[in-house]
Amino acid sequence: MTDDAPLFTGDPGQRQRLQSRWAQVEDVSAHQAELRRMAGQMREVIDLMVASQAPTDLLTIAADRMGDLIAEMAKWPSGRTYEGFAESATAGADPNATFDHSPILGLANPLSPPLRVEIEGDRVLARVHFGAAYEGPPGCVHGGYVAAVFDELLGATQTLSGTAGMTARLIVNYRRPTPLHRELVMEGRLVRVDGRKVFVDGTCTADGELTAEAEGLFVTIDPTVLSALRSARDAKPSQPGRS
């Protein structure tokens, strides 16, 4: 790619589709809406639980109620029921891409913070808020989660090249501790494209202070490889209920 070539090679419609899916604003079924609502409530439970000073008898009641819920849900088979992808980097321009179940972006995944992403020009901006469950150093985000969010952010950024890719290298430089309970603003930038290689970089700031920065190398993946992975996943039978 020449120096004066546009880095974003996707059409405007692709940009709009990516934005819509990253923002998780597309219409969803009642079932998926309830999964999102349940995941949100589970995030709150997790955040409260890991830092709770509630008395033991209340914890006992809560654990018993959760046990009852687990027993009810375990009666039903489990297995991936969504189409598309759980990771933005491998989505490319796929019209079926959906990230509801991503461990970083997914509104229907209680493990996700979640990361909120938007496109601004040739950059990808993201905001994320880490609660107590993500603590590493006292009062600060565990460095592994910082790296995981960078992986997702830079993966989303490399899709601006119009291709699907996977992480080949991720370098994170931690400049200062990243605080919990504060909105973090992250930015990803498409640097250059060299054949199958897509180079990106990113920053993370808290209240305007740089806490970490990253460089990423993504390699374009043949769509047939991704299709084979998805087919292999979908071919696995659902797990029977545990009741």
Side-chain angles (χ1 to χ4, degrees), residues 30-91:
H31 181 83
Q32 194 67 15
E34 287 305 299
L35 284 176
R36 288 182 175 186
R37 188 167 74 96
M38 183 177 178
Q41 292 177 335
M42 290 178 69
R43 285 188 204 98
E44 291 191 38
V45 169
I46 291 169
D47 193 58
L48 289 170
M49 183 198 73
V50 297
S52 179
Q53 298 184 34
T56 302
D57 57 349
L58 178 58
L59 297 179
T60 299
I61 293 171
D64 287 344
R65 290 178 178 175
M66 291 176 68
D68 292 340
L69 176 61
I70 290 170
E72 283 298 313
M73 294 193 68
K75 295 176 182 178
W76 299 91
S78 62
R80 292 300 192 189
T81 58
Y82 63 89
E83 294 184 4
F85 302 84
E87 180 183 52
S88 57
T90 53

Side-chain angles (χ1 to χ4, degrees), residues 51-227:
S52 179
Q53 298 184 34
T56 302
D57 57 349
L58 178 58
L59 297 179
T60 299
I61 293 171
D64 287 344
R65 290 178 178 175
M66 291 176 68
D68 292 340
L69 176 61
I70 290 170
E72 283 298 313
M73 294 193 68
K75 295 176 182 178
W76 299 91
S78 62
R80 292 300 192 189
T81 58
Y82 63 89
E83 294 184 4
F85 302 84
E87 180 183 52
S88 57
T90 53
D94 192 313
N96 294 319
T98 177
F99 312 122
D100 242 12
H101 296 264
S102 162
I104 307 298
L105 292 169
L107 296 183
N109 188 334
L111 297 180
S112 75
L115 186 69
R116 305 181 303 281
V117 179
E118 60 183 317
I119 300 173
E120 186 173 290
D122 284 329
R123 301 176 302 160
V124 174
L125 298 181
R127 288 173 171 79
V128 65
H129 179 281
F130 285 103
Y134 301 95
E135 187 173 56
C140 301
V141 184
H142 191 292
Y145 283 108
V146 174
V149 172
F150 266 128
D151 188 36
E152 190 70 45
L153 170 69
L154 298 185
T157 303
Q158 69 91 39
T159 64
L160 294 181
S161 67
T163 62
M166 298 184 74
T167 313
R169 182 175 68 241
L170 177 66
I171 300 172
V172 180
N173 295 310
Y174 299 92
R175 299 305 184 189
R176 56 174 51 86
T178 300
L180 294 170
H181 310 299
R182 303 246 292 277
E183 183 178 71
L184 306 177
V185 179
M186 305 184 72
E187 178 179 319
R189 186 173 66 95
L190 188 60
V191 177
R192 63 188 174 92
V193 180
D194 182 6
R196 293 179 57 209
K197 297 179 180 179
V198 182
F199 296 85
V200 289
D201 62 25
T203 58
C204 175
T205 61
D207 297 329
E209 286 193 330
L210 180 69
T211 67
E213 51 192 350
E215 301 174 11
L217 167 61
F218 289 76
V219 176
T220 301
I221 300 298
D222 187 329
T224 61
V225 174
L226 294 174
S227 295

